[in-house]
Amino acid sequence: SSCHETGAFANESSDASPSVAALAAVARETGVVLVGGSIPERDSEDPSLLYNACCVFDGDRGLVARHRKTHLFDLDIPGEISFKESDTLSAGDALTVADTAIGRIGVGVCFDMRFPELAAVCANRGASMLVYPGAFNTVTGPLHWELLQRARAADNQIFVLTCSPARDPDAARKSPPAYEAWGHSTAVGPFAEILATTDERESIVTA
């Protein structure tokens, strides 16, 4: 399992990161396993490094793992969308598998879902589910969001859970235009069956 301890929020204090402190408090108060991602994380040893990080909390145990997104999303489709995550963020260099009260969880962030090797290694290390917080856009989302989840599930005979932000209906009209997330948070079973999903609006998916 991977849990970096050098980041800006390793101690879960509200001074280090109010977001992480709040997520830890919710997990503690409710006794749930909470995968809360993703959050920008500044490396405390090298402040020039900023990661796209996803934290896993397990009830009273607090922060049990943190995944730094390993595959940065750089995309340029002329006339449609241009986005370069590597202009701002650094790539993580570790696989993340966390032991929790509900089993062993493999974690990736968004673009990590496109890489079957990461999912396969998590499964080989005993993960019973893969969790991917992500925000595919309205160009790649309709083509690949569900397809990749079902592929990773079928490849590894494993559950795949994704959580996307809801879409801002005014994103395209803003100046400059805001990012348009595809949405469609989903739970997929080991036979690539869709257990539950939603649309681009704010909602809760239960499976």
Side-chain angles (χ1 to χ4, degrees):
S1 109
S2 167
C3 185
H4 304 281
E5 294 298 341
T6 59
F9 46 66
N11 60 6
E12 299 177 32
S13 75
S14 58
D15 290 339
S17 172
S19 299
V20 171
L23 291 171
V26 168
R28 186 168 51 250
E29 291 163 8
T30 60
V32 302
V33 174
L34 176 61
V35 181
S38 57
I39 299 170
E41 176 202 6
R42 191 171 300 283
D43 194 305
S44 58
E45 294 181 353
D46 183 352
S48 69
L49 299 179
L50 191 66
Y51 299 99
N52 188 346
C54 176
C55 297
V56 181
F57 306 88
D58 188 1
D60 290 336
R61 292 176 61 208
L63 180 67
V64 295
R66 174 170 68 253
H67 177 71
R68 291 171 171 169
K69 185 177 182 181
T70 55
H71 302 91
L72 299 182
F73 181 63
D74 289 355
L75 175 72
D76 186 10
I77 301 176
E80 297 223 38
I81 187 170
S82 181
F83 191 88
K84 195 169 184 184
E85 199 171 26
S86 61
D87 282 346
T88 306
L89 299 173
S90 299
D93 61 2
L95 187 84
T96 304
V97 177
D99 286 310
T100 74
I102 60 167
R104 185 166 286 183
I105 300 174
V107 181
V109 172
C110 202
F111 196 51
D112 285 338
M113 186 164 56
R114 289 189 177 273
F115 296 85
E117 299 85 357
L118 184 149
V121 175
C122 287
N124 287 338
R125 293 187 182 180
S128 59
M129 69 185 78
L130 298 168
V131 182
Y132 297 97
F136 276 38
N137 57 64
T138 53
V139 176
T140 60
L143 295 171
H144 299 151
W145 176 249
E146 182 182 300
L147 172 69
L148 291 169
Q149 294 172 67
R150 297 180 72 187
R152 298 297 81 85
D155 287 346
N156 299 290
Q157 293 292 282
I158 202 169
F159 290 92
V160 173
L161 311 177
T162 59
C163 184
S164 169
R167 191 179 313 159
D168 177 356
D170 298 319
R173 293 188 291 274
K174 292 183 176 178
S175 182
Y179 189 85
E180 292 187 82
W182 173 238
H184 295 80
S185 299
T186 303
V188 180
F191 291 163
E193 74 275 30
I194 302 298
L195 301 175
T197 190
T198 186
D199 56 22
E200 76 282 0
R201 294 167 294 185
E202 185 175 343
S203 57
I204 296 172
V205 177
T206 305

